[in-house]
Amino acid sequence: MISSSLGEVGRRRTTKSAIAAATWVVTLALVACGGGGGGSGAGTVDSFTVSLALPAATQQPRQMSLGFTAGGNASSTIAVYRVQWRPDAQTAYAQIGADLAANATTARVELPDLTRINWAQASTRVQACNGTGTCVTSNEQPLAAMLGAAVGYFKASNTEAEDRFGSRVALSADGSTLAVAALQESSRADGVNGDQTDNGAASSGAVYVFVRGASGWEQQAYLKASNSDANDEFGLSIALSSDGSTLAVGADEESSNATGIDGNAADNSAPASGAVYLFTRQAGAWSQSAYVKASNTAAADRFGRSVTLSADGQRLAVGASGQGVGGAAYVFERNANSWTQTALLKASNEGQDDWFGYALALAADGNTLAVSAREEDSNASGVDGNQADNSASAAGAVFVFTRNGQGAWSQQAYVKASNPDSNDRFGHSVALSADGATLAVGAYGESSAATGAGGDQGSNAVNSSGAAYVFVRRGVVWSQQAYLKASNTGFSDSLGFSLALSADGRTLAVGARNEDSNATTVNGAQDNDLSSGSGAVYLFARDGSLWAQRAYVKAPDNRAQDRFGQSVAVSADGTTLVVGAPDEDSSATGIGGDRNSTAAANSGSVYTF
């Protein structure tokens, strides 16, 4: 399971103008073609029109709605319609969806993958075919204009100002279960599907679970801690098992003095000691299965700062960035329905306030664990350098641990950026591929002016522009494979604030919550700063050992200060992207609501591509 723990939530507000939903009506002139090896024409079928009426949002992300109207003077010769698409100019057109009857007036087809499309070239067309297989093909239409309606738009069922829904997101491997945290949601409810309307526990936090079925997305559960209390920030970290049936939720401000599993949750004598809550799903119903505390609970430990699960949900790792001198990570195992702590991990160069455990990621088999120490101070670079040099304050580091066949954990690598510098905060976010052999690390404070992959790391000319680093393991040896920057590197953009890897480690999504352009959807104009703090996500792909930016992703309803990209998740195959924008302001509720309302400041939203 891929997991990354993210940082502090922005608290800015903005007034936004409404953007009207768009409708395109396109007349397509037909040219004769031998579809499927047919003849040179289609008799008297010479033209028809296609109206593309696109809603403001959809229950089924990646879907495209088309309305068909046959034209010409012999529409009765049409036997079927076929919708086709291609992701780029080099790929042959392929049919999407089934054949449509000659009397069809509407069609709803699903685009295979929005994240790997070349949006400058992707296009669609329609064929009208007669009974002998001869087809007439329309001219091409670019898909870019249709993308806004193909983006899923999610809100809480109890939207309120300042709830920051979308602060964290987690996605099952197949992309059909989505968990969304609202860190500052304030209801006093406990457990599953309680009263959402009582706001008597400020910033207690909540998590919402959505599932995708044949009829689209729907909310399946509204989850609260069993001991919900003000300022606990339940949902500060979340992780899902591969099948989406086990959910871990961290609340690092929880204050009980309990230790171990299912202790006394009502004791609030250890402020900010932190806790983790485990939920399981059976037959569509969620229930809390465990209340997890450290074996050595103490105030200000912030246990639950980060969480991650193995693919099968049987192994849980928890970060406690305030524990002891420099932080700690804990490992728990599930045997049947019982959880036990099996390891307590510390950095090999434990230092005061290093925040070891700030972010975590487990490989699918649960035998490789990456633990970041975002505030670690050494000036070492690369892998296994000098850990004792503390001359680069808050440069950050990542420690890789592996588990042997007897269940013992040991440190395998001490990982630093190739260009460490003070306040880079390398390790703010981390992710591992399923096999644990590819590690991605975000450093939102990194400041070079480079763009793209492999640029000049030596410049510190663009403060806090941010960067992402990719490391690979061959055998037991780790090395840096890539240094990644945005295609439009800008001051304080914070690239690397969030990131997520596909299971094969070949697709990487990197969030830049403070990016400023006014572009919308995918690959829009990057060269302006007209929408301050709107945020962006950059998709990178690996071909062999070479990385390149594949897409530049923005919210379809781009507005200033929304912080789109504060959280990201991808499905195992990299074809579904989820992005949180916790400072978005609409008062909509549920799925596919009105994006244009701005009556609930910082209520937050989530987008699926």
Side-chain angles (χ1 to χ4, degrees):
M1 178 64 197
I2 300 166
S3 173
S4 77
S5 175
L6 311 179
E8 293 74 14
V9 180
R11 305 181 188 275
R12 303 178 188 177
R13 305 183 185 184
T14 183
T15 302
K16 303 173 181 178
S17 58
I19 300 176
T23 299
W24 291 264
V25 179
V26 182
T27 300
L28 305 178
L30 300 183
V31 294
C33 74
S40 60
T44 56
V45 180
D46 52 24
S47 68
F48 64 92
T49 59
V50 177
S51 174
L52 305 180
L54 306 183
T58 176
Q59 283 283 102
Q60 289 274 41
R62 301 211 301 259
Q63 285 198 348
M64 177 173 64
S65 297
L66 301 94
F68 291 94
T69 305
N73 57 7
S75 59
S76 62
T77 64
I78 297 174
V80 296
Y81 291 111
R82 292 174 180 147
V83 181
Q84 298 179 320
W85 87 299
R86 62 179 181 178
D88 53 57
Q90 292 72 46
T91 303
Y93 272 100
Q95 183 172 341
I96 46 176
D99 285 354
L100 301 168
N103 63 350
T105 58
T106 62
R108 198 168 180 85
V109 293
E110 182 170 314
L111 300 172
D113 179 3
L114 298 184
T115 62
R116 295 180 179 175
I117 290 172
N118 181 335
W119 284 98
Q121 301 175 352
S123 57
T124 188
R125 67 186 190 186
V126 178
Q127 286 189 329
C129 302
N130 65 17
T132 64
T134 300
C135 300
V136 178
T137 304
S138 73
N139 63 306
E140 300 174 348
Q141 289 296 319
L143 282 178
M146 306 174 191
L147 180 57
V151 175
Y153 177 66
F154 293 70
K155 297 284 290 187
S157 48
N158 60 335
T159 295
E160 295 269 2
E162 308 301 334
D163 278 1
R164 292 187 162 86
F165 174 88
S167 299
R168 311 288 185 266
V169 292
L171 192 64
S172 62
D174 66 0
S176 65
T177 299
L178 169 64
V180 181
L183 285 188
Q184 295 178 318
E185 194 267 358
S186 297
S187 91
R188 269 195 307 204
D190 295 326
V192 180
N193 295 333
D195 180 8
Q196 305 179 30
T197 62
D198 180 345
N199 283 335
S203 296
S204 52
V207 173
Y208 303 76
V209 180
F210 301 86
V211 293
R212 185 182 184 185
S215 60
W217 286 92
E218 63 180 4
Q219 185 175 314
Q220 187 176 62
Y222 165 70
L223 305 179
K224 298 282 290 188
S226 51
N227 61 337
S228 186
D229 206 353
N231 301 313
D232 278 0
E233 293 195 340
F234 173 86
L236 182 71
S237 56
I238 57 176
L240 278 169
S241 61
S242 180
D243 66 0
S245 64
T246 299
L247 170 67
V249 183
D252 80 336
E253 295 279 344
E254 193 267 0
S255 298
S256 95
N257 197 38
T259 59
I261 310 299
D262 294 331
N264 179 12
D267 175 347
N268 281 335
S269 62
S273 54
V276 171
Y277 303 78
L278 287 161
F279 296 84
T280 55
R281 177 176 60 190
Q282 291 184 327
W286 287 88
S287 61
Q288 185 176 311
S289 56
Y291 166 67
V292 182
K293 297 283 287 188
S295 53
N296 56 346
T297 294
D301 276 2
R302 303 196 183 280
F303 178 87
R305 165 72 256 184
S306 54
V307 295
T308 181
L309 285 166
S310 58
D312 61 7
Q314 299 295 105
R315 187 164 296 143
L316 164 72
V318 180
S321 58
Q323 195 277 334
V325 174
Y330 300 76
V331 181
F332 298 83
E333 308 278 346
R334 177 167 57 185
N335 184 6
N337 293 320
S338 177
W339 287 89
T340 57
Q341 183 179 313
T342 58
L344 192 162
L345 306 176
K346 303 284 281 186
S348 50
N349 64 339
E350 186 175 23
Q352 188 70 42
D353 298 325
D354 277 359
W355 292 13
F356 177 86
Y358 187 86
L360 299 171
L362 265 174
D365 64 4
N367 291 328
T368 300
L369 172 65
V371 184
S372 82
R374 197 192 81 166
E375 303 293 303
E376 193 264 1
D377 299 329
S378 97
N379 197 37
S381 61
V383 179
D384 293 331
N386 178 12
Q387 304 180 32
D389 175 348
N390 283 333
S391 61
S393 176
V398 173
F399 301 77
V400 179
F401 296 85
T402 57
R403 180 179 180 272
N404 65 20
Q406 290 71 50
W409 288 89
S410 61
Q411 185 174 309
Q412 185 178 70
Y414 166 68
V415 181
K416 296 282 288 185
S418 48
N419 61 338
D421 209 347
S422 294
N423 300 314
D424 278 2
R425 295 189 162 86
F426 175 87
H428 181 79
S429 55
V430 296
L432 279 171
S433 58
D435 65 1
T438 300
L439 166 68
V441 182
Y444 78 91
E446 194 269 357
S447 299
S448 93
T451 58
D456 178 10
Q457 305 178 34
S459 162
N460 277 333
V462 185
N463 187 52
S464 295
S465 51
Y469 302 76
V470 180
F471 299 83
V472 294
R473 177 176 60 189
R474 289 181 173 82
V476 296
V477 178
W478 286 90
S479 61
Q480 185 173 315
Q481 185 178 69
Y483 165 69
L484 304 176
K485 297 283 289 186
S487 48
N488 62 338
T489 294
F491 285 96
S492 299
D493 280 359
S494 300
L495 181 79
F497 197 87
S498 61
L499 50 74
L501 266 175
S502 60
D504 63 6
R506 296 180 58 194
T507 300
L508 173 64
V510 186
R513 70 188 288 267
N514 294 321
E515 194 268 355
D516 299 323
S517 95
N518 68 349
T520 59
T521 61
V522 178
N523 289 347
Q526 306 178 31
D527 57 351
N528 69 73
D529 289 329
L530 299 177
S531 187
S532 176
S534 53
V537 172
Y538 300 78
L539 282 166
F540 297 89
R542 177 170 61 187
D543 184 2
S545 61
L546 299 178
W547 287 86
Q549 186 176 311
R550 192 65 177 267
Y552 165 69
V553 184
K554 298 282 288 186
D557 52 336
N558 179 334
R559 293 186 180 92
Q561 313 304 330
D562 275 3
R563 312 297 174 198
F564 176 88
Q566 176 158 313
S567 59
V568 295
V570 295
S571 57
D573 63 4
T575 63
T576 299
L577 169 68
V578 177
V579 183
D583 288 6
E584 189 262 2
D585 295 340
S586 97
S587 57
T589 58
I591 302 164
D594 180 9
R595 305 179 189 184
N596 299 314
S597 164
T598 58
N602 302 321
S603 54
S605 63
V606 166
Y607 302 81
T608 56
F609 295 78

